C-alpha cells in the first residue's frame, strides 16, 4: 500500500492518501453511475466505468482510503475476493471486520488452577461465541478451589471488555473463507448462569453457621453446654438443651473472675468451666440438665 495518488480503476488496490474518500456509509454510492459528488474528490473515475456491474468489485477494494480496516465490513459488496493482507481477519473464520482481543476462562481443580486464553482477532460472531463459551465453562469449572473462587469472578469480569468490543462490530461480511462459530444461546438463557449463585450461597452458608455458633462466653444462664475436650483442657461448646449432646446446664455465670468457689451460691452446681483469655475472664457454673 502506498500513498500515491489514485490509480486507474483497473488497479484493485488503489493507494490513497489518508483521510481521502467519502464516509464509509456512502461507499455503495460508487456503484451508482450518478452517485453523489464528493466535492474535491475524484470518484468520477469510478462513475465513468462503462460497466456498472464491475463497479462493486472495484469499490470493494476501495475502502482503504484512510479508513480503519474494520469499517470495511460496512461495505455490502463483499464477494469473497482476496482481502488485502493488512486487513484484520477473524482468526477462526477469516471474516471481516475483526478486532484483536483475548477471551479468558478459568478452571479450578482444588489444588491447581488452569487459566484458559483464546486470542483473536475475532469477528463479531466468533467473538461473542468465544465469550459465551469460555464464560459458561468458567461458570461450571471455575469455582473449585479457594484461589479459583477468587480468580474466577475476576476472569469472567475481564471478558466484559472484549464482549463490548465484539458487540460494536457489525455482522461479518458474507463470503468469509470459513464458517463462523455458533454463538449459541446468550449466557443468561443457559443453566450455567445459575452457578453465579454458588459463591453467594457459600458465603451465606458460612455466615449462617457462624451466626449460630455461640461461644461459651456468650452462654446464658439456662443454656446447655458440652465439653468436647478433657477435664484438664476443656473445649466447651454451647448446644441445644434438647440435643443428646447436651451435658450440663449453665446454672450461673460469673464475670471477671475465674474463682469457681463462688459457684457454690448457685443451686445444682456440680462443675465449673473457667476461661481466661487476655484480660477477659469468666466462669460458667454448671449443673445437671
Ligand atoms: Zn469469525
Amino acid at each position: 500500500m502506498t500513498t500515491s495518488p489514485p490509480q486507474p480503476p483497473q488497479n484493485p488496490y488503489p493507494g490513497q492518501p489518508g483521510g481521502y474518500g467519502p464516509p464509509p456509509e456512502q461507499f455503495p454510492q460508487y456503484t451508482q453511475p450518478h452517485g453523489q459528488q464528493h466535492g474535491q474528490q475524484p470518484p468520477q473515475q469510478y462513475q465513468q466505468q462503462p460497466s456498472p456491474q464491475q463497479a462493486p468489485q472495484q469499490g470493494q477494494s476501495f475502502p482503504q482510503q484512510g479508513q480503519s480496516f474494520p469499517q470495511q465490513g460496512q461495505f455490502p459488496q463483499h464477494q469473497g475476493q482476496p482481502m488485502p493482507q493488512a486487513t484484520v481477519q477473524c482468526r477462526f473464520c477469516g471474516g471481516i471486520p475483526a478486532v484483536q482481543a483475548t477471551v479468558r476462562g478459568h478452571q479450578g481443580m482444588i489444588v491447581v488452577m488452569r487459566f484458559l486464553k483464546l486470542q483473536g482477532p475475532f469477528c463479531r460472531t466468533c467473538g461473542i461465541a468465544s465469550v459465551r463459551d469460555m464464560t459458561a465453562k468458567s461458570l461450571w469449572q471455575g469455582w473449585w478451589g479457594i484461589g479459583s473462587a477468587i480468580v474466577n469472578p475476576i476472569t469472567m469480569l475481564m471478558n466484559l471488555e472484549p464482549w463490548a468490543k465484539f458487540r460494536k462490530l457489525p455482522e461479518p461480511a458474507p463470503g468469509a473463507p470459513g464458517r463462523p462459530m455458533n454463538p449459541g444461546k446468550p449466557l443468561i438463557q443457559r443453566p450455567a448462569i445459575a452457578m453465579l449463585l454458588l459463591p453467594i450461597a457459600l458465603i451465606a452458608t458460612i455466615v449462617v453457621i457462624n451466626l449460630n455458633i455461640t461461644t461459651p462466653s456468650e452462654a446464658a444462664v439456662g443454656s446447655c453446654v458440652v465439653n468436647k475436650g478433657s477435664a484438664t483442657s476443656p473445649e466447651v461448646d454451647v448446644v441445644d438443651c434438647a440435643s443428646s449432646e447436651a451435658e450440663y446446664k449453665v446454672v450461673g455465670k460469673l464475670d471477671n473472675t475465674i474463682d469457681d468457689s463462688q459457684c457454690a451460691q448457685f443451686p445444682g452446681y456440680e462443675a465449673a468451666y473457667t476461661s481466661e483469655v487476655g484480660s477477659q475472664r469468666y466462669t460458667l457454673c454448671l449443673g445437671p440438665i
Side-chain angles (χ1 to χ4, degrees):
M1 203 62 62
T2 70
T3 56
S4 59
Q7 300 299 308
Q10 286 73 25
N11 178 349
Y13 305 119
Q16 300 292 340
Y20 171 83
E25 65 273 12
Q26 291 176 341
F27 283 142
Q29 289 160 357
Y30 282 99
T31 64
Q32 304 300 323
H34 301 290
Q36 290 183 5
Q37 304 297 310
H38 296 290
Q40 76 283 9
Q41 300 148 0
Q44 289 82 359
Q45 275 192 6
Y46 294 86
Q47 295 170 358
Q48 287 162 4
Q49 282 303 304
S51 164
Q53 290 80 6
Q54 291 175 0
Q57 294 175 356
Q58 288 153 357
Q60 181 185 7
S61 50
F62 192 67
Q64 306 297 316
Q65 303 159 7
Q67 306 290 340
S68 62
F69 290 121
Q71 290 174 344
Q72 284 190 20
Q74 295 170 355
F75 193 74
Q77 279 85 12
H78 180 66
Q79 291 172 356
Q81 294 195 342
M83 283 171 267
Q85 289 191 344
T87 302
V88 179
Q89 284 177 257
C90 176
R91 183 183 150 195
F92 303 93
C93 70
I96 56 168
V99 282
Q100 187 57 256
T102 303
V103 179
R104 292 167 205 277
H106 188 77
Q107 283 179 317
M109 291 170 283
I110 312 300
V111 263
V112 270
M113 36 177 130
R114 187 181 282 165
F115 297 82
L116 311 170
K117 210 160 117 179
L118 205 53
Q119 270 172 322
F122 298 88
C123 68
R124 178 189 166 98
T125 309
C126 296
I128 290 177
S130 302
V131 168
R132 286 178 182 170
D133 185 55
M134 293 285 256
T135 309
K137 269 190 189 138
S138 305
L139 280 167
W140 287 120
Q141 304 169 355
W143 302 111
W144 312 109
I146 291 170
S148 289
I150 297 163
V151 170
N152 196 35
I154 298 168
T155 306
M156 290 191 289
L157 285 175
M158 282 170 79
N159 278 347
L160 285 177
E161 193 202 333
W163 181 70
K165 254 189 187 176
F166 302 145
R167 281 174 53 99
K168 277 189 207 144
L169 284 179
E171 293 292 336
R179 181 197 285 250
M181 291 183 202
N182 176 10
K185 283 186 186 173
L187 280 171
I188 198 78
Q189 293 173 21
R190 300 187 190 195
I193 199 73
M195 295 297 281
L196 269 188
L197 299 175
L198 189 82
I200 298 167
L202 192 69
I203 290 166
T205 307
I206 291 169
V207 167
V208 166
I209 287 173
N210 275 297
L211 284 177
N212 282 328
I213 290 177
T214 314
T215 60
S217 65
E218 295 163 337
V221 173
S223 60
C224 295
V225 294
V226 60
N227 179 15
K228 288 179 174 167
S230 64
T232 47
S233 71
E235 279 176 44
V236 171
D237 281 346
V238 179
V239 293
D240 188 344
C241 288
S243 84
S244 57
E245 267 192 312
E247 224 176 344
Y248 298 104
K249 183 171 263 182
V250 179
V251 293
K253 190 172 181 184
L254 303 167
D255 289 320
N256 305 314
T257 180
I258 51 168
D259 176 14
D260 58 7
S261 66
Q262 294 180 38
C263 280
Q265 62 181 293
F266 299 110
Y269 160 67
E270 58 183 48
Y273 168 72
T274 59
S275 169
E276 182 172 19
V277 179
S279 61
Q280 251 207 332
R281 295 175 198 157
Y282 65 91
T283 300
L284 296 181
C285 309
L286 309 173
I289 302 277

